[in-house]
Amino acid sequence: MGRRSRARRLQQQQRPEGAEDGAEGGGKRGEAGWEGGYPEIVKENKLFEHYYQELKIVPEGEWDQFMGALREPLPATLRITGYKSHAKEILHCLKNKYFKELEDLEVDGQKVEVPQPLSWYPEELAWHTNLSRKILRKSPQLEKFHQFLVSETESGNISRQEAVSMIPPLLLNVQPHHKILDMCAAPGSKTTQLIEMLHADMNVPFPEGFVIANDVDNKRCYLLVHQAKRLSSPCIMVVNHDASSIPRLLIDVDGRKEILFYDRILCDVPCSGDGTMRKNIDVWKKWTTLNSLQLHGLQLRIATRGAEQLAEGGRMVYSTCSLNPIEDEAVIASLLEKSEGALELADVYSELPGLKWMPGITQWKVMTKDGQWFTDWDDVPHSRHTQIRPTMFPPKDPEKLQAMHLERCLRILPHHQNTGGFFVAVLVKKSSMPWNKRQQKLQGKSAGSRETTQLSPADPTEGKPADLAKLESQSVTGTGDTEIIQTTENSENNGNKKDGVCGPPPSKKMKLFGFKEDPFVFIPEDDPLLPPIEKFYALDPSFPKMNLLTRTTEGKKRQLYMVSKELRNVLLNNSERMKVINTGIKVWCRNNSGEEFGCAFRLAQEGIYTLYPFINSRIITVSMEDVKTLLTQENPFFKRLSCDTYSQAKDLAKGSIVLKYEPDSANPDALQCPIVMCGWRGKASIRTFVPKNERLHYLRMMGLEVSAEKKSEGAVLAGEESAGGAGQPEDQASEERRAEEDGCDCNAAAGCHPDTDAGCNSNAAAGSDPDTDAGCDSNVATGCDPETDAGCDSNVAAGCDPAGAEPAR
């Protein structure tokens, strides 16, 4: 018997007779539906109530509603991925099929509440429901709805995300050309929103903007990778740094090195999390003001670092899931004060109509963990100076305080719209930070002395404003500074560095934690492997082949990935500065037997929507009936497909193909969104290489549910092998299977191979088995134990149940 099992049995034996099972966290974890034997957590904390009543963050007469809402379970919320062309189809499917089935449904004599759209989220793309996981599994209709949520979440078409967590990306007002930094990104729900906004126009495969998503926790970075890869974007990079000292990056602009400033920065900082009490019930017993006092300094450093890297005219959103002004208004006030007018709070009152929120407060006090109050820094005894800092208090000068407009901050209270608690502040940068402006005086220094001090982003002392500013001042001073950057870069890259190879940072400059990542190697434009690919697929002359990369410097290139040219620029110029966990999407996989057909690489479904606009050959247009056949049968013969499809396929040589479905506007009952799939043209049949959940998604959109019964009748889903294909001659079956094995990794259904795939390599072993869990072990990647954490369901590959709570930050 394991240690956890023994502890659970002991708790059950010690439990008082007749004790009732609580809600989540109670004896049987009633809401989660798991047998646990854990003692019930009492949702009370007198110090919490005393603290917030004294601060008056809740309007007069609403305290009871506020506390009542905190004690109620948090509604589950889901968001439909907005940039995909089939978002409307998913919304139509949800409203007219799944939600209609719930209208008159009763479970255990209780009428099921139909999900409702969030009033403030655009285009009805976000919904909330009070259905718990326990109820979801009690009814066949609800079980079907639950399976739909899990499958669509894995396909990247739906994100299960807490409602208030959706607010910061919306207030960033992202455009496709924006360069975005997400400073504390894991687990990645907000990051996926940002990626969606970059791809607002699906007809543009490479938007000019990109997202650099950072997290300090190495293991959580791999969960972040898993979340981001569901959206198959070439414009996302995941890096692993301490956000408070995230390196200054350089980019090449017309042959000159310039500092990268971001148009948008999301600063969703680590916090005490007392706004998450509805889902993280441990906060009830663990809450103390000490948590806020300890986090305040880190939050201020992260926000300051973000402000330094923000472009003039850019927008930064600072957010926490805490209601405490020490973590909220105090951080913003201190940042505004030290910015000396470089930053200002934006008035976003009208940007999210329908959202209810309280304005930020302008006066607050500081309380120690033992209940002692201080209203002014001067009153704090010297013995408390390490715990309490002057930046925790509101500014003394009334005029200065009024000019800050702290009332423009947003505090979301749980009882106003049945959500979690949250705080958001939107900052706009008017000019460089004052310590950067003062660095103009450094121009008087000799070039030699400046070279040695200006470009050391990996230096441990970088977090100090005086050091950070030396690079930012380049943009202020203008002339001469870019030449210094160029000189220093040349000296850094002189000698050992190979062209196009972006390795991990050297250990001497930066202490590395976690797994050692493979290098990113850009393929030279004259590489001999490119001409056969270009010829076989008749690639358009505009195809950006310089953006292709691999993850190995030796041996055969097994996977080819692609990034946008802007991210290529970032990678090539900053390999010594940052630890990149993952970037790019897989577009081709090596297929050894394909060489006899003229091309050694087959198409990968993951990157087909990015690659398709550049492909001019080997495209077969299929009907909706053909799509159904291809997705429900393993290797359908040509005769099972339409005559039109057969006439297109019969003259093609064997090998990788593109299968394209174009919607028929004249037939409103047909699927009204385009579908692009990778396939394999065999000797007498066609096979699709589409992951299981993506297949299920397409079939659902066409009104076809593939159940276990259908599978037993012969329908085969991705990654599931039939015994040789019904009625298929033995020699043909073996020939097709050989083509299938050569043309597709044995882990194609999972979407990755741990030894070769940048998204799921041996380094990402943060518990990832592509044969069994599609890329994520919830016990490791989310940092939670599915037996004990109500926010994590081990049955879901991503580590979280769409009907459950968001993984705690």
Side-chain angles (χ1 to χ4, degrees):
M1 184 186 296
R3 181 175 59 187
R4 185 179 295 143
S5 301
R6 286 196 298 271
R8 187 178 300 125
R9 177 167 292 183
L10 184 62
Q11 282 182 330
Q12 289 172 339
Q13 291 170 350
Q14 293 174 345
R15 193 172 179 207
E17 238 181 276
E20 292 183 6
D21 295 328
E24 288 189 48
K28 290 188 178 180
R29 288 209 172 233
E31 291 296 328
W34 295 324
E35 299 291 335
Y38 294 98
E40 182 178 356
I41 292 178
V42 179
K43 295 181 178 178
E44 283 187 11
N45 188 308
K46 296 299 181 186
L47 188 65
F48 172 86
E49 294 190 43
H50 171 63
Y51 182 71
Y52 282 116
Q53 279 181 316
E54 186 72 21
L55 291 178
K56 295 181 171 55
I57 66 161
V58 178
E60 194 76 27
E62 296 184 17
W63 182 258
D64 290 341
Q65 296 100 299
F66 170 72
M67 291 303 298
L70 282 179
R71 292 187 175 104
E72 290 295 317
L74 185 70
T77 47
L78 59 93
R79 180 173 53 78
I80 298 170
T81 301
Y83 80 88
K84 295 196 173 181
S85 55
H86 39 255
K88 290 182 179 177
E89 294 289 333
I90 299 173
L91 181 59
H92 178 80
C93 184
L94 270 173
K95 292 171 70 174
N96 295 285
K97 182 179 180 183
Y98 293 100
F99 292 167
K100 277 195 177 298
E101 291 177 356
L102 306 180
E103 284 179 356
D104 301 314
L105 188 64
E106 289 190 4
V107 177
D108 293 343
Q110 181 181 355
K111 193 174 186 306
V112 171
E113 184 178 329
V114 178
Q116 297 296 321
L118 296 179
S119 60
W120 45 268
Y121 201 94
E123 301 179 33
E124 285 193 339
L125 291 178
W127 294 71
H128 72 98
T129 172
N130 286 321
L131 296 172
S132 69
R133 280 168 292 187
K134 185 177 181 180
I135 292 176
L136 279 170
R137 293 184 174 95
K138 276 197 170 185
S139 160
Q141 291 96 326
L142 289 175
E143 175 68 17
K144 193 187 298 183
F145 177 46
H146 182 248
Q147 289 174 353
F148 167 83
L149 292 179
V150 173
S151 177
E152 294 296 328
T153 298
E154 269 304 289
S155 299
N157 302 309
I158 282 177
S159 291
R160 202 271 318 134
Q161 182 179 356
E162 187 179 343
V164 289
S165 172
M166 304 175 191
I167 297 171
L170 290 176
L171 290 177
L172 273 176
N173 191 22
V174 169
Q175 302 299 318
H177 64 276
H178 283 155
K179 298 173 179 63
I180 307 164
L181 173 64
D182 191 350
M183 299 188 76
C184 309
S189 54
K190 299 180 188 70
T191 309
T192 56
Q193 259 183 289
L194 298 173
I195 297 170
E196 291 173 30
M197 295 171 184
L198 284 183
H199 290 273
D201 185 354
M202 275 295 287
N203 295 318
V204 180
F206 293 102
E208 290 181 25
F210 57 77
V211 177
I212 293 180
N214 173 71
D215 202 84
V216 68
D217 188 307
N218 185 266
K219 288 182 179 178
R220 285 166 68 88
C221 281
Y222 291 98
L223 175 61
L224 185 56
V225 169
H226 177 75
Q227 290 279 66
K229 285 178 80 70
R230 295 182 307 131
L231 298 185
S232 300
S233 170
C235 304
I236 170 72
M237 178 189 292
V238 176
V239 298
N240 181 202
H241 290 280
D242 176 356
S244 64
S245 57
I246 191 166
R248 171 84 65 215
L249 302 184
L250 302 177
I251 52 174
D252 188 290
V253 180
D254 299 327
R256 301 189 319 273
K257 295 292 191 300
E258 293 188 3
I259 297 163
L260 171 62
F261 289 100
Y262 300 94
D263 303 297
R264 297 289 186 268
I265 293 180
L266 178 55
C267 190
D268 185 49
V269 296
C271 64
S272 60
D274 56 24
T276 69
M277 283 178 157
R278 299 183 69 176
K279 65 175 183 179
N280 298 326
I281 53 176
D282 282 352
V283 177
W284 283 95
K285 63 179 181 180
K286 293 179 179 178
W287 187 91
T288 169
T289 55
L290 184 62
N291 297 336
S292 298
L293 299 177
Q294 291 175 336
L295 284 165
H296 170 86
L298 173 65
Q299 293 163 338
L300 181 55
R301 290 195 301 275
I302 293 175
T304 303
R305 188 58 173 153
E308 289 169 343
Q309 302 213 21
L310 187 64
E312 289 184 28
R315 180 178 277 205
M316 180 174 88
V317 169
Y318 174 89
S319 62
T320 74
C321 46
S322 168
L323 301 173
N324 199 325
I326 306 301
E327 303 176 64
D328 300 338
E329 284 92 345
V331 174
I332 296 300
S334 179
L335 184 60
L336 289 172
E337 189 168 20
K338 69 162 68 175
S339 78
E340 299 178 8
L343 298 173
E344 75 172 31
L345 275 169
D347 186 355
V348 293
Y349 177 79
S350 60
E351 292 193 17
L352 288 180
L355 178 66
K356 295 179 182 177
W357 50 275
M358 297 298 297
I361 60 177
T362 56
Q363 293 296 327
W364 60 89
K365 299 183 288 185
V366 178
M367 188 176 81
T368 61
K369 66 175 181 179
D370 50 10
Q372 185 179 1
W373 289 96
F374 296 102
T375 56
D376 193 281
W377 167 248
D378 296 334
D379 300 332
V380 180
H382 192 269
S383 60
R384 298 274 191 180
H385 281 191
T386 55
Q387 184 184 89
I388 299 175
R389 304 301 302 152
T391 54
M392 297 176 182
F393 295 90
K396 286 183 179 180
D397 186 343
E399 290 185 10
K400 187 182 290 186
L401 183 62
Q402 186 178 1
M404 288 180 179
H405 294 292
L406 291 178
E407 72 278 358
R408 292 178 178 175
C409 300
L410 284 64
R411 180 176 275 104
I412 290 92
L413 299 179
H415 64 291
H416 283 166
Q417 285 180 304
N418 197 13
T419 63
F422 211 69
F423 175 87
V424 188
V426 182
L427 295 153
V428 175
K429 191 171 184 180
K430 297 297 184 181
S431 61
S432 291
M433 301 300 276
W435 51 88
N436 299 134
K437 292 176 184 176
R438 289 193 288 270
Q439 290 302 315
Q440 295 181 51
K441 297 175 184 177
L442 289 176
Q443 285 192 19
K445 286 189 177 184
S446 67
S449 62
R450 290 174 66 189
E451 283 179 21
T452 57
T453 58
Q454 278 191 306
L455 279 166
S456 56
D459 193 284
T461 62
E462 185 199 0
K464 299 178 182 178
D467 294 333
L468 296 172
K470 295 171 186 176
L471 277 179
E472 190 171 12
S473 63
Q474 318 287 331
S475 63
V476 181
T477 58
T479 58
D481 297 301
T482 50
E483 295 176 10
I484 294 166
I485 294 175
Q486 182 73 61
T487 304
T488 311
E489 281 297 296
N490 290 341
S491 65
E492 280 183 1
N493 299 335
N494 208 6
N496 298 327
K497 189 172 179 181
K498 297 178 182 178
D499 290 339
V501 179
C502 307
S507 56
K508 287 182 181 178
K509 286 191 177 181
M510 183 184 302
K511 188 174 180 182
L512 299 181
F513 298 91
F515 307 104
K516 185 179 184 299
E517 282 298 320
D518 294 326
F520 294 84
V521 185
F522 284 94
I523 298 172
E525 292 189 63
D526 58 355
D527 193 298
L529 69 76
L530 289 178
I533 294 176
E534 291 176 293
K535 181 181 178 182
F536 191 72
Y537 297 103
L539 294 182
D540 193 85
S542 64
F543 175 69
K545 53 188 177 183
M546 67 172 62
N547 297 354
L548 286 172
L549 60 86
T550 63
R551 296 299 302 273
T552 177
T553 52
E554 299 174 357
K556 279 190 174 182
K557 300 173 178 67
R558 295 197 58 192
Q559 317 279 352
L560 302 185
Y561 304 89
M562 180 164 269
V563 295
S564 65
K565 69 175 183 179
E566 288 78 14
L567 276 187
R568 178 183 188 273
N569 192 345
V570 173
L571 267 173
L572 285 175
N573 288 291
N574 298 281
S575 62
E576 301 295 308
R577 289 182 175 78
M578 59 182 184
K579 182 182 177 186
V580 180
I581 299 297
N582 189 267
T583 191
I585 53 170
K586 181 166 56 180
V587 288
W588 278 293
C589 305
R590 180 172 287 278
N591 163 35
N592 292 327
S593 67
E595 294 183 14
E596 62 186 90
F597 310 135
C599 182
F601 287 88
R602 68 166 180 87
L603 297 164
Q605 182 67 25
E606 180 183 321
I608 190 59
Y609 283 96
T610 298
L611 205 57
Y612 173 73
F614 302 101
I615 297 175
N616 294 312
S617 177
R618 304 193 62 77
I619 300 173
I620 297 177
T621 303
V622 294
S623 67
M624 195 166 92
E625 289 305 314
D626 287 332
V627 174
K628 291 180 182 179
T629 302
L630 288 163
L631 294 180
T632 54
Q633 298 182 29
E634 185 179 10
N635 284 321
F637 290 112
F638 293 151
K639 64 183 180 182
R640 297 186 184 178
L641 303 172
S642 66
C643 295
D644 184 46
T645 299
Y646 172 69
S647 65
Q648 296 175 72
K650 65 182 178 66
D651 297 326
L652 285 179
K654 288 192 288 185
S656 189
I657 55 173
V658 177
L659 299 160
K660 176 68 184 288
Y661 164 75
E662 289 285 1
D664 181 6
S665 56
N667 181 9
D669 295 329
L671 183 65
Q672 291 301 306
C673 63
I675 296 176
V676 182
M677 303 180 293
C678 295
W680 186 267
R681 197 277 195 204
K683 188 174 181 180
S685 65
I686 292 177
R687 175 180 172 85
T688 54
F689 292 141
V690 181
K692 177 180 176 180
N693 287 315
E694 201 168 331
R695 288 190 179 217
L696 291 173
H697 161 71
Y698 291 140
L699 291 170
R700 282 194 197 97
M701 296 304 101
M702 292 183 287
L704 185 65
E705 288 281 350
V706 179
S707 61
E709 291 76 19
K710 285 198 173 185
K711 286 186 209 176
S712 63
E713 291 169 9
V716 180
L717 296 180
E720 296 173 353
E721 306 288 339
S722 71
Q728 196 171 351
E730 186 175 345
D731 58 339
Q732 167 117 8
S734 59
E735 190 274 334
E736 293 292 348
R737 191 164 306 286
R738 191 162 54 251
E740 164 206 327
E741 290 169 354
D742 286 334
C744 181
D745 292 332
C746 60
N747 294 316
C752 57
H753 188 287
D755 294 326
T756 58
D757 188 355
C760 187
N761 57 25
S762 55
N763 303 330
S768 180
D769 182 356
D771 288 325
T772 58
D773 63 5
C776 188
D777 181 349
S778 61
N779 294 340
V780 179
T782 66
C784 59
D785 184 346
E787 291 186 8
T788 61
D789 189 338
C792 195
D793 187 341
S794 59
N795 296 327
V796 184
C800 297
D801 189 333
E806 183 182 20
R809 183 173 295 285

